[in-house]
Amino acid sequence: MESAMSAGIAVAEALQNQLPWLENVWLWVNFLGDPKSLFLFYFPAAYYASRRVGIAVLWISLIAEWLNLVFKWLLFGDRPFWWVHESGYYSQAPAQVHQFPSSCETGPGSPSGHCMITGAALWPIMTAISSQMATRTHSRWVRMIPSLAYITFLLAVGLSRVFLLAHFPHQVLAGLITGAVLGWLMAPQVPMERELSFYGLTSLALLLGTSLIYWTLFTLGLDLSWSISLASKWCERPEWVHVDTRPFASLSRDSGSALGLGIALHSPCYAQRQGIKRKRESCKLT
């Protein structure tokens, strides 16, 4: 594992020093691949285009983010920006790498959340576009464009995380594979017409499940705040350590999104709008 981490630092050094003109590109890709962007941008845009795809993006995002939190607690992955100091790597082979404001995330590093969560959530968008193109063209190459764009974007997100010293390549690879598998498994299982209690119980299950896992590991003597301490210790600037990168911040977003989705789908405004839409569709059919 030490050799894999050393190789990861070498890759990050090459990205930072051999291709300095791509710095702004990596920073933008990192922003576009941030799980928070799924809730703020991708979900509203997808919902505007297709109700089912939009709900799928939100649902898969919150479940994948919760699973990513659990995986990180269980796998105890280091992040490059603190590992180079804690391991003594600098004293053995000084690396010409530097940090960025997005480097100092406080959660454990394995697997990459950017790759895992974004990869899972963008799966229904990719498959929806692919099916649309399949009905409009017989060209095999044209039908492959959405899949190629999906893979290219996720690879770029992974490289941006290595560039920022936020993840090692093997953590990125784990996130990419896990995200694609989750997207493939969860896309057909999106809850579209469920009772409000289902969403409320889902929100409660996320909170209670995480608390149970946390206190179980804590009782076993595992310090789950170890990554926060290392991030605060080795981040170049204290202001780069953000509260919203802590594990329980994502849990609040996920449980709130699950409950909010249920309330929104059962609100009178939404029901009235759906009723008007059904009337219009029946008129068109007549």
Side-chain angles (χ1 to χ4, degrees):
M1 186 57 70
E2 293 290 323
S3 59
M5 292 180 172
S6 298
I9 297 297
V11 173
E13 185 176 9
L15 289 173
Q16 289 191 5
N17 298 315
Q18 301 300 323
L19 302 170
W21 51 277
L22 284 177
E23 178 174 322
N24 289 331
V25 174
W26 296 130
L27 294 176
W28 266 107
V29 170
N30 178 72
F31 170 76
L32 294 174
D34 193 320
K36 292 191 289 291
S37 297
L38 294 168
F39 296 86
L40 295 174
F41 306 116
Y42 294 100
F43 159 62
Y47 188 89
Y48 180 80
S50 168
R51 173 176 172 265
R52 190 189 188 288
V53 174
I55 294 176
V57 170
L58 181 61
W59 180 257
I60 294 176
S61 295
L62 66 92
I63 298 298
E65 190 168 49
W66 182 82
L67 288 173
N68 183 257
L69 167 63
V70 175
F71 289 161
K72 285 183 175 181
W73 274 349
L74 297 177
L75 296 178
F76 285 85
D78 285 297
R79 290 187 183 268
F81 78 90
W82 74 58
W83 181 84
V84 292
H85 300 283
E86 289 289 316
S87 64
Y89 182 89
Y90 268 136
S91 61
Q92 300 172 7
Q96 301 299 318
V97 291
H98 56 278
Q99 299 176 14
F100 297 86
S102 301
S103 302
C104 301
E105 296 194 9
T106 58
S110 186
S112 168
H114 277 61
C115 295
M116 174 179 167
I117 303 164
T118 303
L122 293 186
W123 183 274
I125 297 179
M126 182 269 292
T127 54
I129 297 175
S130 296
S131 63
Q132 285 290 326
M133 297 188 72
T135 61
R136 298 183 180 184
T137 180
H138 297 290
S139 174
R140 185 173 125 188
W141 296 107
V142 174
R143 285 181 294 178
M144 289 178 62
I145 290 177
S147 300
L148 293 175
Y150 171 82
I151 295 171
T152 302
F153 177 67
L154 289 181
L155 288 176
V157 170
L159 288 174
S160 73
R161 302 301 286 164
V162 176
F163 170 83
L164 291 171
L165 297 182
H167 289 292
F168 292 100
H170 69 274
Q171 296 171 343
V172 165
L173 181 61
L176 292 173
I177 295 174
T178 308
V181 171
L182 279 175
W184 175 64
L185 291 175
M186 293 179 63
Q189 309 297 328
V190 175
M192 297 294 297
E193 304 292 342
R194 301 296 295 268
E195 301 79 7
L196 177 58
S197 59
F198 170 81
Y199 300 97
L201 290 174
T202 299
S203 177
L204 186 61
L206 295 178
L207 287 171
L208 295 180
T210 305
S211 300
L212 178 62
I213 294 171
Y214 179 88
W215 286 111
T216 299
L217 295 176
F218 182 80
T219 303
L220 293 175
L222 300 176
D223 179 18
L224 297 181
S225 64
W226 66 278
S227 60
I228 300 175
S229 302
L230 289 176
S232 303
K233 178 180 179 181
W234 294 114
C235 188
E236 291 180 0
R237 299 185 184 180
E239 62 270 22
W240 288 355
V241 181
H242 301 292
V243 175
D244 63 354
T245 64
R246 298 194 177 192
F248 279 101
S250 63
L251 172 63
S252 302
R253 178 168 57 239
D254 300 334
S255 59
S257 297
L259 181 59
L261 176 62
I263 293 174
L265 292 178
H266 289 81
S267 67
C269 294
Y270 179 82
Q272 183 179 7
R273 183 178 178 185
Q274 288 302 111
I276 293 173
K277 184 177 179 182
R278 291 191 187 99
K279 288 181 181 178
R280 289 177 179 174
E281 290 175 348
S282 63
C283 291
K284 290 180 181 178
L285 179 61
T286 303

